[in-house]
Amino acid sequence: MRTLTGIQPSGALHIGNYFGAIKQMVDLQQSDDLFLFIPNYHALTSLKDGNALRENTLDAAIDLLSLGIDPEKSTFWVQSDVKEVLELYWILSSYTPMGLLERAHSYKDKVAKGIGANHSLFSYPVLMAADILLYHANRVPVGKDQIQHVEITRDIAIKFNNEHGNIFTLPEFKVDEDVATVPGLDGAKMSKSYRNTIDIFSTEKELKKRCSAIVTDSTPLEEPKDPFTCNVYTLAKLFLNESGQKELINRYQKGGEGHGHFKMYLKELIWDYFAPHREKRAYYRARPDEVRDILAKGASKARIIAQETMETIRTTVGIYA
């Protein structure tokens, strides 16, 4: 089973990114043929600062390696290092009905939020289709807001296959229903756009500050509290096994501790959980050339498949390399 997914280089990773996506990727390395890339071409739809994109791309690679992505167990590369994806993107554009893209929810939502309408934003689903179809991915893990993009990929592939034979693999989307929405400081979904995140690799001082800022109710210290309506507990249980969750529930329900105590407990949970990852991150940050070498090797692995696919596609549509 070939599983393909990407993590945008959009800045510091937070614990919502980790529990919502990255942890599942690390686990999938044990069972699937994982293809993981950093989609820097996609990032151009919202990030126009070249230096920032360059730095974010390297930082994303360092963070993913630090959090458990193993280049020996997966194919890990930067999107722009395999140029065949752009050639396939253009060819697929010729098989993509305008109406299909005009119905894309993501484009409408982003424009409604004030993001400037441009061609790259509009044709984003075609480039995503090229990412998926180029490597014959069987499965694409996505959030519910990205399901439509995988469906668009299937529609494009079906249209191409109907004209030229069964060339493209039809991918299936995978939504992990067991992954709960990770709340941010204000209780809304943790998101950079809401500025309510707890970053994975923040300093201990900043982590304490962010945990202290989590919105809680005004129940007095001595009274029992409801853990199931508390943002702090919802975050803490992500780091606890069943026994640890029960113990924390008992502390909430017996009273005698205030929300400040639970916030500092959460801070310690997060700090301790990511301690080994911080060590790995320090190692990779001190060795950027090693990270670039890992990405180059991953791109070489991905390019073998990409070139084979494009040889078939060029022959099929009448373009020869």
Side-chain angles (χ1 to χ4, degrees), residues 3 18 32 39 46 65 68 94 99 127-128 135 153-154 158 169 193 215 231 257 279 294 307 311 317:
T3 298
Y18 180 75
D32 289 22
S46 57
L65 291 168
S94 299
L127 181 55
M128 183 170 169
Y135 303 105
T153 296
R154 287 177 59 89
I158 289 169
T169 299
S193 60
V215 174
N231 294 326
E257 292 185 271
E279 291 181 13
I294 288 170
Q307 289 176 342
E311 286 177 9
V317 301

Side-chain angles (χ1 to χ4, degrees), residues 166-228:
N166 292 324
I167 291 174
F168 288 127
T169 299
L170 300 185
E172 302 287 345
F173 63 80
K174 178 181 182 293
V175 176
D176 193 339
E177 298 292 349
D178 295 329
V179 175
T181 298
V182 178
L185 304 182
D186 55 359
K189 179 181 178 180
M190 189 174 289
S191 171
K192 293 182 184 72
S193 60
Y194 298 152
R195 300 187 179 184
N196 65 354
T197 60
I198 298 175
D199 291 346
I200 294 171
F201 294 117
S202 61
T203 64
E204 190 169 10
K205 181 179 179 180
E206 178 62 22
L207 178 61
K208 180 179 179 180
K209 179 180 177 182
R210 299 300 282 176
C211 289
S212 297
I214 297 172
V215 174
T216 51
D217 62 32
S218 57
T219 305
L221 181 148
E222 66 278 3
E223 292 186 13
K225 297 164 187 67
D226 183 358
F228 305 110

Side-chain angles (χ1 to χ4, degrees), residues 61-252:
I62 289 171
D63 288 350
L64 289 166
L65 291 168
S66 303
L67 290 168
I69 294 301
D70 184 344
E72 298 300 319
K73 296 180 180 178
S74 62
T75 301
F76 178 46
W77 79 102
V78 175
Q79 182 186 31
S80 63
D81 285 344
V82 182
K83 303 298 183 186
E84 284 81 359
V85 72
L86 293 182
E87 183 180 2
L88 182 56
Y89 160 69
W90 182 250
I91 291 172
L92 293 180
S93 295
S94 299
Y95 293 81
T96 305
M98 286 292 291
L100 192 62
L101 299 182
E102 288 168 348
R103 293 192 293 273
H105 303 312
S106 179
Y107 173 75
K108 295 176 184 177
D109 291 344
K110 288 177 179 177
V111 171
K113 290 176 181 176
I115 297 177
N118 58 47
H119 179 263
S120 66
L121 191 65
F122 182 72
S123 64
Y124 183 109
V126 186
L127 181 55
M128 183 170 169
D131 291 322
I132 297 166
L133 299 176
L134 185 61
Y135 303 105
H136 302 285
N138 304 107
R139 183 166 61 181
V140 184
V142 292
K144 291 181 179 178
D145 60 334
Q146 288 281 311
I147 289 175
Q148 188 188 36
H149 282 170
V150 181
E151 292 174 337
I152 289 173
T153 296
R154 287 177 59 89
D155 288 341
I156 295 171
I158 289 169
K159 185 173 178 60
F160 190 95
N161 287 352
N162 284 343
E163 294 196 29
H164 301 293
N166 292 324
I167 291 174
F168 288 127
T169 299
L170 300 185
E172 302 287 345
F173 63 80
K174 178 181 182 293
V175 176
D176 193 339
E177 298 292 349
D178 295 329
V179 175
T181 298
V182 178
L185 304 182
D186 55 359
K189 179 181 178 180
M190 189 174 289
S191 171
K192 293 182 184 72
S193 60
Y194 298 152
R195 300 187 179 184
N196 65 354
T197 60
I198 298 175
D199 291 346
I200 294 171
F201 294 117
S202 61
T203 64
E204 190 169 10
K205 181 179 179 180
E206 178 62 22
L207 178 61
K208 180 179 179 180
K209 179 180 177 182
R210 299 300 282 176
C211 289
S212 297
I214 297 172
V215 174
T216 51
D217 62 32
S218 57
T219 305
L221 181 148
E222 66 278 3
E223 292 186 13
K225 297 164 187 67
D226 183 358
F228 305 110
T229 60
C230 179
N231 294 326
V232 178
Y233 173 76
T234 302
L235 290 168
K237 72 177 184 180
L238 295 169
F239 298 90
L240 296 170
N241 58 24
E242 186 176 350
S243 175
Q245 291 179 31
K246 288 180 179 178
E247 182 180 338
L248 183 56
I249 289 170
N250 289 336
R251 287 175 58 185
Y252 266 86

Side-chain angles (χ1 to χ4, degrees), residues 45-63:
T45 61
S46 57
L47 183 58
K48 301 297 191 291
D49 184 327
N51 288 329
L53 179 56
R54 200 161 20 249
E55 291 173 9
N56 285 358
T57 301
L58 181 61
D59 285 347
I62 289 171
D63 288 350

Side-chain angles (χ1 to χ4, degrees), residues 236-305:
K237 72 177 184 180
L238 295 169
F239 298 90
L240 296 170
N241 58 24
E242 186 176 350
S243 175
Q245 291 179 31
K246 288 180 179 178
E247 182 180 338
L248 183 56
I249 289 170
N250 289 336
R251 287 175 58 185
Y252 266 86
Q253 293 177 338
K254 74 178 182 181
E257 292 185 271
H259 286 297
H261 295 98
F262 297 124
K263 290 177 181 180
M264 289 307 97
Y265 174 67
L266 172 63
K267 174 259 175 185
E268 292 300 325
L269 284 176
I270 297 172
W271 186 253
D272 291 345
Y273 184 91
F274 289 112
H277 303 296
R278 286 195 300 276
E279 291 181 13
K280 287 185 70 175
R281 188 170 185 260
Y283 171 90
Y284 284 120
R285 286 193 69 83
R287 297 165 177 82
D289 287 342
E290 182 175 335
V291 176
R292 294 187 183 98
D293 185 55
I294 288 170
L295 293 170
K297 289 178 180 177
S300 294
K301 288 168 61 179
R303 192 176 300 112
I304 292 170
I305 297 169

